Amino acid sequence: MHALQDRPYFFDEGVRFQCLRCGGCCTGEPGIVYADQDEILPMAEFLDISPELLKERYLNPFQDGFVVREAEDGRCVFFENGCVIYPVRPLQCRTFPFWFSNMRSLFSWKEVCTRCPGIGKGRLYTREEILLSIQASLPIFEVVWEGDSKP
Ligand code: SF4
Ligand code: SF4
């Protein structure tokens, strides 16, 4: 990753982004939202339920952690007119849209822009912040790389 810090990117001037909580990336086609063990307690505390009940109601075991269940219509079970666990949503969700898969090329980025109305709105994320987000989210995708992912 360090060698990649020095090269130019299409996002060198930063990117504006603010999640509008439209649910576009939390609903629709099936995908994987991964949550690791460390993310369970904050989610349970936020919902004021036990970690055991959180797992029983909302999660399925996956690799060393969990995946968030989906409703029959494909939406994440935490989506109810917005993400009901937004402040403690999994790292995978917190780092969207600045994932390696989205930032790897301008072509990929333009495709994401067509799906997320929050891109171009809100505060400016700097090149450094975007690179940190890509780096932070990479381990998640090493776990779920084989699957699809949302948001
Ligand atoms: S599509 Fe973009 S604006 Fe809509 S919920 Fe997802 S991140 Fe937020
Ligand atoms: S947990 Fe993630 S995918 Fe689920 S509603 Fe919240 S932001 Fe969307």
Side-chain angles (χ1 to χ4, degrees), residues 85-96:
I85 57 163
Y86 193 76
V88 292
R89 65 201 187 286
L91 179 65
Q92 181 179 336
C93 306
R94 280 185 279 127
T95 51
F96 183 84

PDB file of all heavy atoms in Angstrom, residues 85-96:
ATOM      1  N   ILE A  85     -28.941   1.433  12.474  1.00  0.00           N
ATOM      2  CA  ILE A  85     -27.734   1.356  13.324  1.00  0.00           C
ATOM      3  C   ILE A  85     -26.647   2.283  12.767  1.00  0.00           C
ATOM      4  O   ILE A  85     -25.456   2.012  12.927  1.00  0.00           O
ATOM      5  CB  ILE A  85     -27.210  -0.089  13.430  1.00  0.00           C
ATOM      6  CG1 ILE A  85     -26.898  -0.666  12.036  1.00  0.00           C
ATOM      7  CG2 ILE A  85     -28.181  -0.974  14.187  1.00  0.00           C
ATOM      8  CD1 ILE A  85     -26.006  -1.899  12.066  1.00  0.00           C
ATOM      9  N   TYR A  86     -27.073   3.345  12.116  1.00  0.00           N
ATOM     10  CA  TYR A  86     -26.134   4.177  11.344  1.00  0.00           C
ATOM     11  C   TYR A  86     -24.856   4.560  12.106  1.00  0.00           C
ATOM     12  O   TYR A  86     -23.767   4.396  11.568  1.00  0.00           O
ATOM     13  CB  TYR A  86     -26.851   5.431  10.832  1.00  0.00           C
ATOM     14  CG  TYR A  86     -26.042   6.149   9.782  1.00  0.00           C
ATOM     15  CD1 TYR A  86     -25.959   5.663   8.473  1.00  0.00           C
ATOM     16  CD2 TYR A  86     -25.318   7.292  10.095  1.00  0.00           C
ATOM     17  CE1 TYR A  86     -25.196   6.301   7.510  1.00  0.00           C
ATOM     18  CE2 TYR A  86     -24.558   7.934   9.129  1.00  0.00           C
ATOM     19  CZ  TYR A  86     -24.503   7.432   7.843  1.00  0.00           C
ATOM     20  OH  TYR A  86     -23.732   8.057   6.895  1.00  0.00           O
ATOM     21  N   PRO A  87     -24.935   5.038  13.347  1.00  0.00           N
ATOM     22  CA  PRO A  87     -23.696   5.452  14.033  1.00  0.00           C
ATOM     23  C   PRO A  87     -22.743   4.284  14.304  1.00  0.00           C
ATOM     24  O   PRO A  87     -21.554   4.499  14.502  1.00  0.00           O
ATOM     25  CB  PRO A  87     -24.194   6.054  15.351  1.00  0.00           C
ATOM     26  CG  PRO A  87     -25.627   6.365  15.111  1.00  0.00           C
ATOM     27  CD  PRO A  87     -26.117   5.313  14.159  1.00  0.00           C
ATOM     28  N   VAL A  88     -23.257   3.069  14.329  1.00  0.00           N
ATOM     29  CA  VAL A  88     -22.414   1.913  14.650  1.00  0.00           C
ATOM     30  C   VAL A  88     -22.450   0.879  13.518  1.00  0.00           C
ATOM     31  O   VAL A  88     -22.165  -0.300  13.738  1.00  0.00           O
ATOM     32  CB  VAL A  88     -22.849   1.250  15.981  1.00  0.00           C
ATOM     33  CG1 VAL A  88     -22.565   2.165  17.155  1.00  0.00           C
ATOM     34  CG2 VAL A  88     -24.331   0.858  15.945  1.00  0.00           C
ATOM     35  N   ARG A  89     -22.774   1.332  12.327  1.00  0.00           N
ATOM     36  CA  ARG A  89     -22.835   0.400  11.196  1.00  0.00           C
ATOM     37  C   ARG A  89     -21.455  -0.205  10.953  1.00  0.00           C
ATOM     38  O   ARG A  89     -20.441   0.411  11.297  1.00  0.00           O
ATOM     39  CB  ARG A  89     -23.371   1.109   9.951  1.00  0.00           C
ATOM     40  CG  ARG A  89     -22.480   2.203   9.422  1.00  0.00           C
ATOM     41  CD  ARG A  89     -23.296   3.154   8.554  1.00  0.00           C
ATOM     42  NE  ARG A  89     -22.488   4.154   7.879  1.00  0.00           N
ATOM     43  CZ  ARG A  89     -21.931   5.208   8.455  1.00  0.00           C
ATOM     44  NH1 ARG A  89     -22.052   5.392   9.754  1.00  0.00           N
ATOM     45  NH2 ARG A  89     -21.224   6.077   7.751  1.00  0.00           N
ATOM     46  N   PRO A  90     -21.409  -1.404  10.358  1.00  0.00           N
ATOM     47  CA  PRO A  90     -20.123  -2.070  10.169  1.00  0.00           C
ATOM     48  C   PRO A  90     -19.142  -1.238   9.347  1.00  0.00           C
ATOM     49  O   PRO A  90     -19.539  -0.401   8.526  1.00  0.00           O
ATOM     50  CB  PRO A  90     -20.504  -3.354   9.420  1.00  0.00           C
ATOM     51  CG  PRO A  90     -21.925  -3.600   9.768  1.00  0.00           C
ATOM     52  CD  PRO A  90     -22.544  -2.238   9.921  1.00  0.00           C
ATOM     53  N   LEU A  91     -17.874  -1.508   9.547  1.00  0.00           N
ATOM     54  CA  LEU A  91     -16.813  -0.792   8.831  1.00  0.00           C
ATOM     55  C   LEU A  91     -17.012  -0.858   7.319  1.00  0.00           C
ATOM     56  O   LEU A  91     -16.746   0.112   6.606  1.00  0.00           O
ATOM     57  CB  LEU A  91     -15.445  -1.404   9.192  1.00  0.00           C
ATOM     58  CG  LEU A  91     -14.226  -0.781   8.517  1.00  0.00           C
ATOM     59  CD1 LEU A  91     -14.038   0.670   8.973  1.00  0.00           C
ATOM     60  CD2 LEU A  91     -12.976  -1.597   8.803  1.00  0.00           C
ATOM     61  N   GLN A  92     -17.504  -1.969   6.853  1.00  0.00           N
ATOM     62  CA  GLN A  92     -17.755  -2.099   5.412  1.00  0.00           C
ATOM     63  C   GLN A  92     -18.682  -0.991   4.930  1.00  0.00           C
ATOM     64  O   GLN A  92     -18.484  -0.411   3.864  1.00  0.00           O
ATOM     65  CB  GLN A  92     -18.368  -3.476   5.124  1.00  0.00           C
ATOM     66  CG  GLN A  92     -18.645  -3.695   3.651  1.00  0.00           C
ATOM     67  CD  GLN A  92     -19.221  -5.067   3.373  1.00  0.00           C
ATOM     68  OE1 GLN A  92     -19.027  -5.999   4.154  1.00  0.00           O
ATOM     69  NE2 GLN A  92     -19.922  -5.215   2.277  1.00  0.00           N
ATOM     70  N   CYS A  93     -19.705  -0.702   5.721  1.00  0.00           N
ATOM     71  CA  CYS A  93     -20.657   0.352   5.346  1.00  0.00           C
ATOM     72  C   CYS A  93     -20.045   1.732   5.567  1.00  0.00           C
ATOM     73  O   CYS A  93     -20.278   2.649   4.781  1.00  0.00           O
ATOM     74  CB  CYS A  93     -21.933   0.224   6.166  1.00  0.00           C
ATOM     75  SG  CYS A  93     -22.695  -1.406   6.084  1.00  0.00           S
ATOM     76  N   ARG A  94     -19.261   1.875   6.647  1.00  0.00           N
ATOM     77  CA  ARG A  94     -18.699   3.195   6.969  1.00  0.00           C
ATOM     78  C   ARG A  94     -17.660   3.643   5.957  1.00  0.00           C
ATOM     79  O   ARG A  94     -17.399   4.836   5.824  1.00  0.00           O
ATOM     80  CB  ARG A  94     -18.087   3.177   8.378  1.00  0.00           C
ATOM     81  CG  ARG A  94     -19.124   3.328   9.470  1.00  0.00           C
ATOM     82  CD  ARG A  94     -18.499   3.430  10.837  1.00  0.00           C
ATOM     83  NE  ARG A  94     -18.152   2.107  11.354  1.00  0.00           N
ATOM     84  CZ  ARG A  94     -16.961   1.763  11.804  1.00  0.00           C
ATOM     85  NH1 ARG A  94     -15.969   2.625  11.789  1.00  0.00           N
ATOM     86  NH2 ARG A  94     -16.757   0.545  12.255  1.00  0.00           N
ATOM     87  N   THR A  95     -17.036   2.709   5.278  1.00  0.00           N
ATOM     88  CA  THR A  95     -15.991   3.083   4.322  1.00  0.00           C
ATOM     89  C   THR A  95     -16.524   3.239   2.897  1.00  0.00           C
ATOM     90  O   THR A  95     -15.790   3.669   2.018  1.00  0.00           O
ATOM     91  CB  THR A  95     -14.853   2.038   4.323  1.00  0.00           C
ATOM     92  OG1 THR A  95     -15.414   0.740   4.166  1.00  0.00           O
ATOM     93  CG2 THR A  95     -14.046   2.120   5.599  1.00  0.00           C
ATOM     94  N   PHE A  96     -17.788   2.897   2.662  1.00  0.00           N
ATOM     95  CA  PHE A  96     -18.380   3.117   1.347  1.00  0.00           C
ATOM     96  C   PHE A  96     -18.540   4.613   1.116  1.00  0.00           C
ATOM     97  O   PHE A  96     -18.915   5.338   2.033  1.00  0.00           O
ATOM     98  CB  PHE A  96     -19.752   2.430   1.279  1.00  0.00           C
ATOM     99  CG  PHE A  96     -20.407   2.535  -0.063  1.00  0.00           C
ATOM    100  CD1 PHE A  96     -20.102   1.643  -1.064  1.00  0.00           C
ATOM    101  CD2 PHE A  96     -21.313   3.555  -0.331  1.00  0.00           C
ATOM    102  CE1 PHE A  96     -20.695   1.746  -2.317  1.00  0.00           C
ATOM    103  CE2 PHE A  96     -21.911   3.665  -1.584  1.00  0.00           C
ATOM    104  CZ  PHE A  96     -21.594   2.756  -2.570  1.00  0.00           C
TER     105      PHE A  96
END
